[in-house]
Amino acid sequence: MMGQLPMPALAFLECSLCKKKFEPGKVYNLCECGGPLLVRYHLDKLRETWPRDQVAQGPNSMWRYAPVLPPRPESIVSLGEGMTPLLRTPRLGARLGFDNLWIKDEGLNPTGSFKARGLSCAVSMAVELGIKKMAIPSAGNAASALAAYAAAAGIESHIYMPKDVPQANYIECKAFGAHVTLVDGLISDCAKLVAAGCKTEGWFDVSTLKEPHRIEGKKTMGYELAEQMGWKLPDVIFYPTGGGVGMIGMWKAFEEMETLGWISPTKRPKMIVVQAEGCQPVVRAFEHFEQRSQFWENAHTVASGLRVPKPLGDFLILEAVRESNGTAIAVSDDELLDAGIQLASDEGIFIAPEGAACVAASKKLLSTGFLKKSDHIVIYNTGSGLKYLEAYSTRFPRS
Ligand SMILES: Cc1ncc(COP(=O)(O)O)c(C=O)c1O
Ligand SMILES: [Zn+2]
């Protein structure tokens, strides 16, 4: 609970497809047209009252951006999420051929991944709206984060995840006291079971983008990057894309900060979607100039967070990538594990396979000429390597 923070400058929620408006302070999932809802704020008013220099006076967490986050201060459930380090990686940079390569290390969040940001926000809103039971289909890390924040809030959590999720995710959820169901299938199969349970059991569905507040937490990755860079943005952002919420959220954050007058509207980073070869629906849609992705059959990769065969917000991801003159690229599991180990031994940072996929992708895009040596590049490492011991142990078998 953070009573001393300013109130949110909430205006309304807006459907990302049909633009219908909804009043704040109520429980929502999708718009009746099927579109995800986005939260809108009184940014013009905030522009007058909330200069960017004031941000540093807030807490050392993502809640320093409280005026552009939906919960009231007294509802906030925080475990210290956000304000993760932005680390320069000169040795790896020199090896790959970059002068200015950085890692935003989201592995230092509670429960070891960036999912903490979205679920801190969603659980805070659940507290505010009186929701008592939450349910989630997850590739793994979102489950751990929901279980942790629900425990902190005294809310019941119901978790559905593939039966082969990393052991860390399963053990965390159990330790946090969640109700866990392991499913013989993918996140898309888990989503169907959650939807059915929500109907019969009265759970609130916290699925990616079906719940409008997770994205608000995740957008703070964009605010934070600007603040850490002295209110500038890099030339290029690499983002490991599953459901794509981080990508959509950061794009929203850039727009909001431009309206607030905090960053220059003249230049946005090129946004680069990175997926795994065994599950690359967004890459395929990008390459085929399509607005929506198609379901990726037989999805498989050790980067379990990227095993999302059909992201609900695919059109929003593709919009951000295209508007930014970015691109979308897939790498193999071998390439991403090699890259993760290279980064670890060069820099002392042990990253998740999802983040490692971005390292591998950066090397490829330099060789194709898409990137320049001098580009200022930020790679989002979305989780800690410690959560993926099964994947990395294939490289270091113990006799
Ligand atoms: C470590 C990690 N990276 C990336 C992703 C993909 O996240 P997003 O839904 O924002 O694309 C996930 C999702 O589970 C994840 O756990
Ligand atoms: Zn709509």
Side-chain angles (χ1 to χ4, degrees):
M1 311 291 158
M2 295 195 173
Q4 76 283 14
L5 286 174
M7 291 292 282
L10 277 180
F12 51 86
L13 286 84
E14 183 182 42
C15 173
S16 54
L17 280 178
C18 74
K19 308 296 172 199
K20 182 173 171 188
K21 290 181 179 165
F22 298 81
E23 69 179 279
K26 292 189 176 167
V27 178
Y28 294 111
N29 283 122
L30 295 174
C31 175
E32 54 269 20
C33 82
L37 303 187
L38 298 174
V39 182
R40 302 294 184 200
Y41 301 85
H42 294 293
L43 296 175
D44 288 333
K45 228 183 273 172
L46 275 181
R47 191 185 166 107
E48 307 302 318
T49 56
W50 191 38
R52 67 187 190 191
D53 300 345
Q54 247 178 44
V55 171
Q57 291 162 25
N60 190 38
S61 77
M62 72 174 199
W63 296 103
R64 64 210 276 120
Y65 310 108
V68 285
L69 291 170
R72 288 198 290 262
E74 63 274 18
S75 317
I76 292 173
V77 183
S78 173
L79 298 168
E81 49 293 323
M83 288 312 277
T84 56
L86 177 63
L87 303 168
R88 189 159 197 174
T89 53
R91 246 184 240 116
L92 180 75
R95 183 189 294 281
L96 299 179
F98 294 113
D99 295 336
N100 220 349
L101 184 67
W102 298 72
I103 303 271
K104 176 81 172 143
D105 194 4
E106 290 291 302
L108 276 88
N109 276 301
T111 68
S113 91
F114 72 135
K115 298 279 177 183
R117 296 179 188 263
L119 285 147
S120 172
C121 196
V123 171
S124 299
M125 285 308 290
V127 168
E128 187 160 314
L129 298 169
I131 292 167
K132 299 278 186 278
K133 297 177 182 184
M134 303 174 84
I136 198 165
S138 169
N141 286 317
S144 304
L146 173 63
Y149 287 94
I155 284 177
E156 207 173 282
S157 64
H158 296 265
I159 307 273
Y160 286 75
M161 49 191 179
K163 69 175 196 283
D164 57 353
V165 282
Q167 178 79 332
N169 296 127
Y170 176 68
I171 300 289
E172 278 178 294
C173 291
K174 294 297 281 185
F176 290 132
H179 301 262
V180 181
T181 306
L182 293 178
V183 177
D184 187 7
L186 295 173
I187 188 171
S188 38
D189 303 297
C190 298
K192 288 178 200 150
L193 295 169
V194 166
C198 288
K199 277 205 189 107
T200 55
E201 309 296 325
W203 306 334
F204 178 66
D205 190 341
V206 207
S207 299
T208 297
L209 291 177
K210 282 190 194 161
E211 188 283 337
H213 304 114
R214 281 174 67 183
I215 183 173
E216 293 302 291
K218 278 197 178 177
K219 82 179 178 191
T220 59
M221 289 193 291
Y223 275 88
E224 233 173 78
L225 181 63
E227 187 183 351
Q228 289 173 325
M229 288 183 56
W231 305 108
K232 290 197 184 74
L233 293 173
D235 298 315
V236 181
I237 288 179
F238 277 88
Y239 187 74
T241 304
V245 185
M247 169 76 89
I248 302 164
M250 280 195 272
W251 199 243
K252 182 172 189 282
F254 299 155
E255 189 182 321
E256 289 176 4
M257 284 189 288
E258 285 172 8
T259 312
L260 287 167
W262 288 9
I263 58 169
S264 156
T266 51
K267 187 182 148 269
R268 294 235 192 136
K270 290 186 173 128
M271 304 298 280
I272 300 184
V273 159
V274 181
Q275 298 200 298
E277 278 181 0
C279 182
Q280 41 170 320
V282 179
V283 176
R284 194 188 170 285
F286 180 79
E287 286 173 350
H288 288 74
F289 307 99
E290 286 160 2
Q291 269 162 13
R292 308 257 1 190
S293 64
Q294 284 168 31
F295 191 93
W296 192 270
E297 298 293 342
N298 304 317
H300 61 90
T301 167
V302 295
S304 45
L306 305 186
R307 253 189 339 171
V308 180
K310 169 82 175 87
L312 183 67
D314 47 10
F315 62 105
L316 295 169
I317 307 170
L318 287 158
E319 221 171 83
V321 174
R322 289 182 176 130
E323 268 181 44
S324 76
N325 297 314
T327 190
I329 179 171
V331 300
S332 72
D333 279 8
D334 271 343
E335 286 169 326
L336 65 87
L337 286 177
D338 286 346
I341 293 164
Q342 190 70 67
L343 170 67
S345 60
D346 277 347
E347 303 285 352
I349 311 168
F350 187 31
I351 69 175
E354 292 83 349
C358 295
V359 176
S362 70
K363 186 173 160 183
K364 284 191 167 176
L365 290 180
L366 185 65
S367 68
T368 62
F370 185 86
L371 295 181
K372 293 196 301 287
K373 184 178 191 301
S374 59
D375 280 337
H376 189 141
I377 295 170
V378 173
I379 286 177
Y380 273 80
N381 170 44
T382 40
S384 165
L386 291 173
K387 298 197 78 170
Y388 293 85
L389 297 183
E390 296 97 327
Y392 281 112
S393 65
T394 58
R395 295 305 176 92
F396 306 110
R398 292 200 281 182
S399 53

